[in-house]
Amino acid sequence: MESNRRSFLKVSGICALGLGALPVADALAKAALPNFLANPKELAGKKWAMVVDMKKCWEKSEKGCHDCINACHVFHNVPDIGTVKEEVKWIWQEHYENTFPGQTNEFNVENIKDKPFMNLCNHCTNPPCVRVCPTKATFKRADGIVMMDYHRCIGCRFCMAGCPYGSRSFNFRDPRPYIKTELNPTFPTRERGVVEKCNFCAERLAEGLMPSCVESCKNGALAFGDLEDPKSTVRKLLASHYTIVRKPELGTGPNVYYII
Ligand code: SF4
């Protein structure tokens, strides 16, 4: 309580001196509220990112394994609609030429062009999906995670048109009857007319857990961590491996990196 009082007095002092243009409420939110709200178990990061080591992904099978897809889709109650047109997906496989168009040529991808690559939302640094959403149903958190508020989504699908990675799915029908696995009561199901996508397991990070895809991968092909932390696994992987991202020429700043 004493430290909270001190934080409040500090912020009040700054405002009184006129040193900051921030409104009091904003300053309080930045300076004092974390002391009240922080979950001691929560995994905190300044810029979350993922590194996908495709060589490890293919170790188990040339066709890639589905452990991460299954874990993610079960955890998030992702429906299995059964048609490509209405497919709902958070993490999925694509061929090289669809994952990295523009980075293909007929010579240097000979050994990888037919192999599957894991695709998911890139939690872009400059996400076009956020810019085009008219209701702010999709928004970017301070730690870089691009989130969806399903209750605000009006199903206009501007975000789907804005995303150059096909990372978003639309529920053309009520998805609930198509959830083929046991319902996870800790994660909300969605409704007809709502867009959804990967959320970097924000709800698990809040509980101190790694994303379900990362946790489920037995080959260590998926690494998740804070790009702003030089000691994080992702930073170490990026420092020691050549990596590529999807469609870098678009300037979206993808935060999912691939070791190929
Ligand atoms: Fe948005 Fe698509 Fe980037 Fe994800 S990959 S943040 S959905 S633009």
Side-chain angles (χ1 to χ4, degrees):
M1 181 61 85
E2 190 52 32
S3 82
N4 293 331
R5 262 189 69 212
R6 271 203 300 275
S7 300
F8 178 80
L9 291 171
K10 203 158 83 186
V11 172
S12 306
I14 290 170
C15 293
L17 287 169
L19 295 178
L22 289 173
V24 174
D26 195 15
L28 278 172
K30 286 188 171 64
L33 277 181
N35 292 338
F36 292 111
L37 299 179
N39 175 348
K41 289 194 295 181
E42 184 171 354
L43 298 181
K46 292 184 178 148
K47 192 175 187 189
W48 292 119
M50 189 172 285
V51 178
V52 185
D53 187 335
M54 289 311 308
K55 286 178 189 152
K56 288 186 177 172
C57 191
W58 297 322
E59 263 170 21
K60 196 165 159 186
S61 159
E62 286 273 298
K63 293 184 175 163
C65 91
H66 287 186
D67 287 354
C68 58
I69 300 174
N70 294 337
C72 167
H73 286 192
V74 169
F75 190 88
H76 297 106
N77 297 318
V78 175
D80 180 2
I81 306 289
T83 66
V84 176
K85 185 171 167 272
E86 296 189 20
E87 183 183 17
V88 178
K89 54 194 190 325
W90 285 36
I91 177 168
W92 73 102
Q93 293 181 325
E94 289 275 0
H95 277 161
Y96 182 86
E97 67 233 35
N98 294 335
T99 308
F100 303 108
Q103 298 185 61
T104 56
N105 69 59
E106 60 186 301
F107 305 110
N108 70 357
V109 295
E110 198 62 34
N111 59 338
I112 54 175
K113 68 180 180 187
D114 292 324
K115 290 190 178 158
F117 283 75
M118 300 317 301
N119 282 226
L120 64 154
C121 171
N122 291 286
H123 296 273
C124 303
T125 301
N126 306 304
C129 57
V130 171
R131 280 205 302 278
V132 297
C133 177
T135 63
K136 307 277 182 238
T138 191
F139 57 95
K140 191 169 177 61
R141 300 197 328 184
D143 60 5
I145 298 182
V146 175
M147 293 289 288
M148 277 288 308
D149 180 341
Y150 305 121
H151 298 290
R152 280 191 178 197
C153 180
I154 55 171
C156 69
R157 291 185 272 168
F158 284 6
C159 60
M160 294 180 74
C163 172
Y165 304 103
S167 299
R168 293 173 167 266
S169 302
F170 184 66
N171 285 289
F172 285 94
R173 59 182 79 205
D174 180 2
R176 287 156 188 152
Y178 298 89
I179 298 169
K180 303 272 171 71
T181 51
E182 193 177 338
L183 202 68
N184 173 9
T186 68
F187 197 80
T189 56
R190 279 71 71 193
E191 294 180 351
R192 178 172 177 253
V194 167
V195 171
E196 58 183 271
K197 68 167 197 73
C198 156
N199 65 353
F200 263 179
C201 281
E203 72 288 343
R204 290 174 58 88
L205 300 179
E207 297 293 325
L209 300 168
M210 275 288 173
S212 53
C213 58
V214 176
E215 192 179 86
S216 71
C217 179
K218 308 288 183 302
N219 288 7
L222 302 174
F224 182 81
D226 185 4
L227 278 184
E228 299 281 326
D229 176 5
K231 297 197 182 103
S232 68
T233 313
V234 288
R235 279 288 296 274
K236 287 179 186 160
L237 284 169
L238 291 177
S240 57
H241 293 77
Y242 176 71
T243 53
I244 58 175
V245 295
R246 298 186 65 198
K247 302 183 181 176
E249 69 278 9
L250 298 180
T252 52
N255 287 300
V256 175
Y257 295 81
Y258 292 84
I259 300 170
I260 60 168

